[in-house]
Amino acid sequence: MTENIRINNPNVKYTDTHIEAQYCYHTTAVRRDGDTLTVTPSVSELEFRTERRVPRLGVMLVGWGGNNGTTVTAAVLANRLGLTWRTKTGEQKANYYGSLFQSSTVCLGPGPDGKEVNIPFRDLLPMVHPNDIVFDGWDISSMDLGSAMERAEVLDWSLQEKLRPHMSNLRPRASIYIPELIAANQAGRADNILKGTMAEQVKQIRADIQDFRHSSGVDKVIVLWTANTERFCDLTAGVNDTAKNLLAAIQLAVERNVFIAGDDFKSVQTKIKSVLVDFLISAGIKPTSIVSYNHLGNNDGMNLSAPQQFRSKEISKSNVVDDMVNSNPILYHKGEKPDHCVVIKYVPYVGDSKRAMDEYTSEIMMGGTNTIAMHNTCEDSLLASPIILDLVLLTELCQRVCVRPQGSETFQSFHSVLAILSFMCKAPLVPPGAPLVNAYFRQRACIENIMRACLGLPPQNHMHLEHKLQ
Ligand code: NAI
Ligand code: DG6
């Protein structure tokens, strides 16, 4: 199902190459004087320009031979080929469930009968279809993608049999392996590694990107990390100890206008956390303790069984409620936070079928307590793969959008630190000084409303005033 939408507004112009939209951006500024807050609304006029031509997109995965790398590649092939396969419960057809753009919808407004008209999210603006992505990548394990898909134990066997002829001739390129960064238990699979000085290895990676670009004929290449979780990066004075130094360290991305994203796919437990804690705090309920257990048995779990790699994951899974807590000084004094504990255990038998158990304890009225306990069986890589697709599709779209602020002669692209990708990341990255948002629906609304702005449409406000007046 694909919908063509056309905006009926003189402020929106469709040229052969672009969609050009005049947009009124409404914001407010707040000033405190003693106990009085003065709120000043303002409007600025922006012009959004979106390139209509969708490029041929290449995606290079670091960790291509892992569970996520093989699953996302297999899923795209299965969808492209329109595969169906038998399972013990019947025939299954390839789909993209779990992808924001492919499988969720946005509301355009009411139709003539007053009923809401919803369209696939992907149809708001011209976007690459995942079926058209060309994959390549690196892995420290030389296994071909057909065998690696079997090693991952994610997909039904009958689907693997159909995919193997297509996957077996895909082979990851040799990669940079720094043993101290990942768990020692990964050494056994590291048989595909670059040799030479660090400078020579970096040169080879750059040559690989160019080689892929030329040999595949793609117009654009996006590189995405889905390799093992590395140990947490130490704070190094002058490199990453202050926002200013960190920005200086990513100066090349800024200089070359290359987008960079945050860390760690927000796939299950953290996604629920960013909904549930937002719900509790915005309902005026005070979460006081959040305890999250996980056990899993895939290679990711084995890598995370090493303390330093677990520490990285613990941090990316723990900082995800700060914005919601800080937003409510009625419930939390300055600096106060709920207890937040994250546990991950490696249990080989459960494979990629991760178990996540969460307990949320909250303080309610008059000293009462509310405890929510949750058990979630998550087929991990099948939940992470659509998020990988959404990350690259949104990044690609953002490269085709530019904005001309009021009074400016020139169009600007988005900041190199692409904060709109926060929705897909457990540890979002935002430009220095920008608010960091983890709350799920605020993140989703940000994507939807920016895409609407590209069409000159106001933000989705859910007011339905036309139904609320006499
Ligand atoms: P995996 O262990 O199956 O795959 C990682 C791959 O990276 C392996 O094939 C490994 O050989 C390779 N690798 C390690 N170091 C490398 C390097 N320097 N260069 C190239 N390749 C290298 O793990 P999985 O399940 O695919 O997860 C990948 C990453 O995504 C992990 O960091 C994991 O924590 C994260 N993640 C996974 C989710 C999931 O549902 N599977 C969900 C959210 C995040
Ligand atoms: C242990 O939780 C393994 C991790 O790699 C997670 O499966 C992954 O980061 C997804 O985490 P979450 O919190 O988004 O479900």
Side-chain angles (χ1 to χ4, degrees):
M1 157 184 168
T2 303
E3 303 278 9
N4 286 318
I5 65 165
R6 192 103 190 155
I7 307 301
N8 178 21
N9 181 339
N11 290 336
V12 181
K13 212 167 80 192
Y14 292 82
T15 71
D16 286 348
T17 52
H18 290 90
I19 303 171
E20 295 170 356
Q22 307 298 327
Y23 182 75
C24 291
Y25 182 47
H26 293 260
T27 49
T28 45
V30 185
R31 207 187 64 228
R32 179 185 286 281
D33 291 308
D35 57 1
T36 302
L37 293 172
T38 306
V39 184
T40 311
S42 65
V43 187
S44 52
E45 280 172 22
L46 305 174
E47 183 179 346
F48 281 82
R49 200 168 69 177
T50 309
E51 214 180 305
R52 297 177 72 181
R53 193 185 85 87
V54 169
R56 202 165 136 74
L57 181 65
V59 172
M60 297 188 85
L61 300 174
V62 188
W64 196 20
N67 283 26
N68 286 349
T70 52
T71 305
V72 72
T73 308
V76 165
L77 272 168
N79 275 280
R80 186 187 301 157
L81 298 167
L83 293 186
T84 57
W85 64 100
R86 295 288 303 178
T87 71
K88 65 182 176 188
T89 53
E91 192 175 62
Q92 177 65 48
K93 193 169 177 299
N95 65 36
Y96 284 117
Y97 285 3
S99 158
L100 177 79
F101 294 113
Q102 308 310 313
S103 300
S104 85
T105 60
V106 287
C107 177
L108 287 180
D113 56 2
K115 290 199 182 126
E116 290 191 335
V117 177
N118 292 291
I119 59 159
F121 210 137
R122 61 165 181 249
D123 290 340
L124 266 183
L125 289 173
M127 291 184 84
V128 173
H129 194 285
N131 287 1
D132 300 326
I133 296 174
V134 184
F135 282 100
D136 200 297
W138 301 266
D139 204 293
I140 55 170
S141 158
S142 62
M143 200 178 264
D144 71 81
L145 274 262
S147 309
M149 163 179 71
E150 189 175 336
R151 173 177 62 184
E153 299 180 8
V154 172
L155 297 167
D156 284 327
W157 183 250
S158 56
L159 174 60
Q160 289 192 36
E161 285 185 318
K162 292 191 175 186
L163 284 169
R164 193 169 301 107
H166 306 275
M167 299 277 285
S168 295
N169 51 16
L170 303 174
R171 222 167 250 286
R173 295 167 192 260
S175 191
I176 300 177
Y177 175 50
I178 305 175
E180 309 84 69
L181 296 185
I182 59 175
N185 60 33
Q186 298 297 309
R189 67 198 280 152
D191 63 354
N192 192 33
I193 56 187
L194 290 173
K195 302 269 182 317
T197 64
M198 193 48 82
E200 286 164 347
Q201 295 185 39
V202 170
K203 198 168 159 213
Q204 181 57 47
I205 297 291
R206 296 179 74 174
D208 287 344
I209 298 172
Q210 279 156 14
D211 172 62
F212 169 55
R213 193 177 181 136
H214 293 135
S215 60
S216 65
V218 296
D219 303 309
K220 264 186 203 178
V221 176
I222 294 178
V223 176
L224 183 133
W225 179 274
T226 181
N228 289 121
T229 302
E230 296 187 329
R231 72 166 157 72
F232 200 68
C233 191
D234 299 323
L235 276 188
T236 309
V239 177
N240 58 355
D241 53 340
T242 65
K244 195 160 159 262
N245 287 340
L246 183 62
L247 190 66
I250 56 168
Q251 207 61 48
L252 192 61
V254 176
E255 239 174 75
R256 302 282 169 96
N257 214 6
V258 171
F259 290 140
I260 52 173
D263 278 336
D264 211 351
F265 314 119
K266 181 158 91 165
S267 56
V268 198
Q269 190 175 55
T270 308
K271 197 173 254 180
I272 295 174
K273 199 168 278 177
S274 69
V275 173
L276 200 63
V277 175
D278 192 31
F279 140 62
L280 290 166
I281 294 179
S282 65
I285 292 172
K286 180 180 181 179
T288 43
S289 143
I290 305 166
V291 186
S292 300
Y293 292 91
N294 301 258
H295 61 267
L296 72 168
N298 56 15
N299 189 55
D300 179 29
M302 186 161 89
N303 181 59
L304 294 172
S305 64
Q308 286 190 317
Q309 284 64 35
F310 164 70
R311 180 69 188 134
S312 276
K313 187 65 87 172
E314 183 184 34
I315 291 170
S316 73
K317 271 167 127 23
S318 300
N319 291 341
V320 299
V321 296
D322 294 358
D323 54 329
M324 300 161 239
V325 169
N326 293 337
S327 73
N328 194 328
I330 304 171
L331 298 177
Y332 299 96
H333 303 301
K334 204 171 166 43
E336 186 188 358
K337 286 179 176 193
D339 291 345
H340 195 165
C341 175
V342 174
V343 180
I344 302 176
K345 292 291 168 199
Y346 177 49
V347 178
Y349 186 76
V350 302
D352 203 67
S353 179
K354 183 180 80 168
R355 315 298 155 92
M357 285 160 281
D358 288 86
E359 186 192 86
Y360 294 81
T361 305
S362 303
E363 194 177 320
I364 55 174
M365 207 165 87
M366 310 302 283
T369 303
N370 177 255
T371 302
I372 301 170
M374 198 178 296
H375 186 288
N376 189 336
T377 304
C378 344
E379 294 189 78
D380 229 10
S381 305
L382 294 171
L383 288 159
S385 294
I387 294 170
I388 290 177
L389 294 173
D390 286 337
L391 266 169
V392 297
L393 298 179
L394 184 56
T395 305
E396 190 292 310
L397 170 66
C398 288
Q399 284 194 318
R400 287 183 286 116
V401 175
C402 56
V403 186
R404 190 165 62 82
Q406 194 168 14
S408 168
E409 295 279 297
T410 50
F411 280 87
Q412 300 172 359
S413 63
F414 289 115
H415 192 283
S416 280
V417 179
L418 197 52
I420 193 174
L421 302 179
S422 298
F423 177 79
M424 291 99 186
C425 302
K426 282 206 265 291
L429 203 57
V430 298
L436 199 150
V437 177
N438 288 294
Y440 177 91
F441 286 105
R442 286 181 68 192
Q443 291 177 332
R444 191 186 192 279
C446 168
I447 300 174
E448 181 177 356
N449 288 333
I450 289 178
M451 286 174 70
R452 287 172 64 94
C454 293
L455 296 166
L457 297 175
Q460 192 62 272
N461 62 34
H462 305 292
M463 288 164 78
H464 290 171
L465 266 186
E466 58 279 22
H467 298 292
K468 296 193 168 68
L469 305 175
Q470 282 287 357

